[in-house]
């Protein structure tokens, strides 16, 4: 049986106006039910040029669906009820992420509801024919900040190696390096994360439109990931060389950014131009007779039932979130008493982090092993978008006070007979170089892993324990021999870790 006979023999049903109205209304329901999450996505689009392309994702997705509009005549609407389980998983993921204040997971769970809702209402065959246009919506989520630091490190490694290969001496200190003609630093704007995100988005769209075979699509998407990373390293190297050869007269101001985008545009053009040589045309899927086949409108009743069920599944999780918020909310003010500390304060701290405003702080300058120690404890309760213990905007290198990040690593120290996992960060500022040890206290436990901390926070909140947490940071000046600085921090924590833990437990118990 050929395609024409199959289509005519099956008497394909086209969607009636009521059916279309029901599907559109159901698809708009998550937008209304999760309005605050949708608003958080738009807020990032507005505040970050890296994700400004988010405004174009939904229109492109609708255009891609319009290009495939013939499938609505070829495949009948057949609601697929098992998709409600996937929809419930999206809602549960949103609820857990909300309890842990993990914005990006909340946003992904919310956006994923749209293709899953389409799967539930349209059915596996029809939604399957629109897989890429539906999944393309996920590019609207502003994700990628997690790659900034690895990209900074790679760009610094690549640039320093290339400059040295050119024969120019380089003195490196973390992500900062010095040439005979001037100093350079690889900062967030130089990481290339904007290029990478733009390249991946365009690469996936180009691969879908230009290729039919999955291996060609996968190859081109892979290139769209690797090429911008290597290209950004070359861009940074060439900017340094332009500045070096011009005695720092060029590529150090606005022309630095202009050159970067021009170079990125050229690289993308060349990549797409080369990719066009392997372009595959759309296969002919329907005959003219099949396209002219008449059909009767599909009844709206089966779709209405699936739509009501899907909307109810979506509405359940915001309702549970309201209940959880009321049960876990703790109106008691937080008080941190430093009287338990075994060390005596010697004055004001010489270093402080740049964190979202906490509910309470415990700061002080102390002495341990003959070295000055700065202590910062930041306590958070009833956390929200503007007050979070674990957030990408919380920084140990306080740029507002002129400190710059030099290097960071994970460590496990033995303090008072117990192992303490922490992160060690070196910062440099006008007041000198500091070695900072920092970790978090969540639900009565210490951790240096942000992912584990978020899971503990979500678990505590959903179990109605509250979301209390604290950031603990100790810092001391560091010179050429960091071991002496580490010895001072160990001495301070050896005498004060248990009192600090008791102070946090006392604050939590009030």
């Amino acid at each position: 049986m050929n395609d024409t006979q199959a289509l005519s023999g099956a008497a394909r049903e086209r969607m009636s106006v009521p059916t279309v109205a029901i599907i559109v209304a159901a698809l708009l329901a998550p937008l209304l039910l999760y309005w605050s999450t949708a608003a958080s996505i738009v807020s990032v689009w507005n505040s970050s040029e890296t994700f400004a392309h988010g405004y174009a994702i939904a229109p492109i997705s609708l255009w891609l669906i319009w290009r495939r509009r013939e499938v609505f005549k070829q495949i009948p609407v057949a609601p697929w009820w098992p998709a409600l389980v996937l929809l419930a998983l999206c809602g549960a993921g949103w609820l857990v992420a909300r309890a842990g204040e993990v914005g990006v997971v909340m946003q992904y769970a919310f956006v994923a509801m749209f293709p899953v809702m389409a799967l539930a209402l349209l059915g596996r065959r029809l939604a399957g024919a629109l897989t890429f246009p539906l999944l393309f919506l996920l590019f609207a989520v502003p994700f990628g900040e997690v790659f900034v630091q690895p990209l900074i490190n790679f760009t610094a490694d690549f640039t320093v190696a290339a400059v040295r290969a050119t024969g120019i001496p380089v003195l490196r200190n973390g992500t900062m390096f010095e040439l005979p003609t001037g100093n350079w630093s690889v900062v967030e704007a130089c990481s290339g994360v904007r290029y990478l995100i733009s390249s991946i988005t365009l690469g996936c769209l180009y691969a879908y439109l230009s290729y039919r075979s999955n291996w060609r699509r996968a190859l081109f998407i892979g290139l769209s990931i690797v090429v911008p990373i290597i290209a950004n390293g070359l861009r940074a190297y060439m900017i340094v060389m332009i500045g070096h050869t011009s005695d720092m007269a060029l590529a150090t101001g606005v022309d630095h950014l202009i050159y970067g985008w021009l170079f990125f545009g050229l690289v993308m053009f060349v990549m797409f131009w080369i990719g066009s040589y392997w372009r595959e045309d759309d296969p002919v899927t329907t005959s003219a007779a099949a396209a002219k086949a008449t059909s009767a409108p599909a009844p709206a009743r089966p779709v209405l039932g699936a739509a009501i069920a899907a909307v109810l599944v979506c509405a359940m999780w915001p309702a549970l979130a309201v209940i959880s918020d009321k049960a876990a909310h703790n109106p008691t003010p937080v008080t941190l008493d430093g009287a338990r500390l075994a060390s005596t304060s010697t004055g004001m701290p010489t270093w402080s982090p740049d964190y979202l405003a906490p509910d309470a702080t415990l700061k002080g300058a102390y002495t341990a092993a003959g070295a000055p120690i700065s202590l910062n404890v930041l306590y958070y309760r009833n956390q929200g978008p503007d007050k979070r213990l674990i957030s990408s905007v919380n920084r140990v290198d306080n740029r507002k006070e002129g400190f710059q990040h030099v290097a960071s690593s994970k460590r496990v120290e033995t303090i008072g007979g117990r192992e303490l996992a922490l992160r060690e960060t070196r910062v440099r500022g006008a007041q000198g170089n500091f070695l900072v040890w920092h970790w978090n206290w969540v639900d009565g436990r210490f951790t240096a892993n942000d992912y584990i901390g978020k899971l503990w926070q979500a678990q505590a909140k959903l179990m109605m324990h509250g979301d209390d947490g604290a950031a603990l940071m100790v810092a001391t000046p560091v010179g050429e021999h960091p071991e002496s600085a580490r010895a001072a921090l160990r001495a301070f924590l050896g005498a004060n870790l248990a009192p600090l833990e008791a102070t946090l437990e006392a604050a939590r118990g009030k």
Side-chain angles (χ1 to χ4, degrees):
M1 181 181 293
N2 59 34
D3 290 341
T4 302
Q5 293 172 330
L7 286 169
S8 59
R12 298 300 187 196
E13 295 178 334
R14 55 184 171 85
M15 289 191 292
S16 63
V17 173
T19 301
V20 174
I22 291 170
I23 292 174
V24 171
L27 288 173
L28 290 177
L31 187 63
L32 299 177
L33 293 169
Y34 299 85
W35 181 258
S36 60
T37 304
S40 70
I41 294 176
V42 176
S43 176
V44 177
W45 294 349
N46 290 333
S47 60
S48 174
E49 293 181 1
T50 302
F51 304 107
H53 67 277
Y55 280 107
I57 298 300
I60 291 174
S61 178
L62 291 174
W63 172 71
L64 292 173
I65 293 174
W66 177 254
R67 289 181 73 252
R68 299 296 313 279
R69 60 190 179 277
E70 73 279 356
V71 301
F72 291 96
K73 299 178 181 179
Q74 301 167 16
I75 305 175
V77 174
W80 193 54
W81 292 88
L84 296 180
V85 177
L86 297 177
L87 197 60
L89 290 176
C90 290
W94 175 87
L95 181 64
V96 172
R98 185 179 183 275
E101 289 295 334
V102 188
V104 68
V105 177
M106 291 174 61
Q107 293 165 356
Y108 268 120
F110 160 68
V111 175
M113 290 180 182
F114 292 97
V116 174
M117 180 81 78
L119 176 62
L121 300 179
L122 302 179
R124 286 187 297 173
R125 291 186 60 205
L126 185 50
L130 302 171
T131 298
F132 182 85
L134 292 172
L135 294 182
F136 190 73
L137 289 170
L138 295 174
F139 282 106
V141 177
F143 173 73
E145 296 291 340
V146 67
F147 301 121
V148 169
Q149 193 57 49
L151 288 173
I152 287 176
N153 294 334
F154 173 83
T155 303
D157 293 340
F158 186 98
T159 305
V160 170
V163 171
R164 285 175 175 166
T166 309
I168 301 173
V170 182
L171 177 62
R172 180 178 179 179
N173 187 3
T175 58
M176 296 174 284
F177 47 94
E178 301 177 9
L179 274 68
T181 52
N183 300 333
W184 297 86
S185 177
V186 181
V187 296
E188 184 173 337
C190 304
S191 66
V193 68
R194 295 182 186 178
Y195 308 144
L196 179 61
I197 293 173
S198 299
S199 176
I200 293 174
T201 304
L202 292 174
C204 289
L205 181 60
Y206 184 88
Y208 171 74
L209 294 174
S210 301
Y211 307 123
R212 305 279 70 81
S213 57
N214 290 331
W215 74 268
R216 292 193 185 191
R217 287 175 172 173
L219 179 60
F220 191 84
I221 292 172
L223 289 175
S224 71
I225 296 173
V226 174
V227 168
I229 296 176
I230 302 299
N232 186 63
L234 290 171
R235 177 195 66 86
Y237 163 69
M238 286 187 282
I239 286 176
V240 171
M241 292 305 298
I242 291 173
H244 175 73
T245 55
S246 66
D247 200 20
M248 303 301 286
L250 299 174
T252 57
V254 177
D255 54 336
H256 180 123
L257 299 178
I258 294 175
Y259 170 77
W261 278 109
L262 288 175
F263 181 75
F264 171 74
L266 177 62
V267 170
M268 290 297 100
F269 172 78
V270 172
M271 187 172 72
F272 293 145
W273 175 64
I274 294 174
S276 67
Y277 283 95
W278 290 274
R279 182 183 181 91
E280 296 174 303
D281 294 329
D282 284 316
V284 178
T285 57
T286 61
S287 65
K292 295 179 181 179
T294 58
S295 58
R301 184 173 299 177
V303 178
L304 178 61
I308 293 174
V311 172
L312 289 176
V313 170
C314 287
M316 176 173 59
W317 306 102
L320 290 175
V322 172
I323 296 172
S324 174
D325 286 347
K326 290 182 178 180
H329 182 78
N330 186 351
T332 306
V334 180
T335 302
L336 292 176
D337 184 4
R340 293 180 176 83
L341 297 183
S343 300
T344 303
S345 179
T346 60
M348 295 298 295
T350 55
W351 165 87
S352 62
D354 182 17
Y355 269 54
L356 292 170
D359 291 273
T361 61
L362 176 59
K363 296 183 178 182
Y366 304 88
T367 300
I373 305 292
S374 291
L375 169 68
N376 283 268
V377 179
L378 311 179
Y379 198 102
Y380 295 84
R381 173 175 290 169
N382 303 323
Q383 299 180 49
D386 299 324
K387 184 178 64 175
R388 286 182 289 184
L389 166 63
I390 303 174
S391 171
S392 60
V393 302
N394 291 339
R395 304 189 67 91
V396 172
D397 50 325
N398 193 336
R399 297 177 181 178
K400 297 177 181 178
E401 296 183 2
F403 285 100
Q404 287 185 313
H405 177 275
V406 176
S408 182
S409 62
K410 295 180 180 180
R411 292 184 65 85
V412 177
E413 293 287 338
T414 301
I415 307 294
R418 59 188 287 192
E419 289 189 345
L420 176 65
L422 51 83
R423 292 197 66 87
E424 178 181 280
T425 300
R426 296 184 65 175
V427 297
R428 183 173 73 175
Q431 299 177 356
N433 297 341
F434 288 84
L435 189 72
V436 185
W437 282 1
H438 51 106
W439 66 102
N440 295 322
W441 176 85
V442 180
D443 195 27
R445 293 171 286 183
F446 290 138
T447 180
N449 188 307
D450 287 347
Y451 301 103
I452 292 177
K454 286 291 189 182
L455 288 174
W456 287 353
Q457 178 185 324
Q459 180 186 39
K461 189 171 182 179
L462 293 175
M463 296 294 291
M464 313 306 175
H465 297 165
D467 61 358
D468 288 30
L472 296 94
M473 287 160 275
V474 290
T476 189
V478 62
E480 296 296 329
H481 305 288
E483 273 306 320
S484 59
R486 295 184 182 119
L489 295 177
R490 288 191 199 99
F492 177 80
L493 290 178
N496 292 284
L497 183 61
L500 281 172
E501 192 170 15
T503 298
L504 294 173
E505 289 292 350
R508 182 188 183 196
K510 290 186 179 181

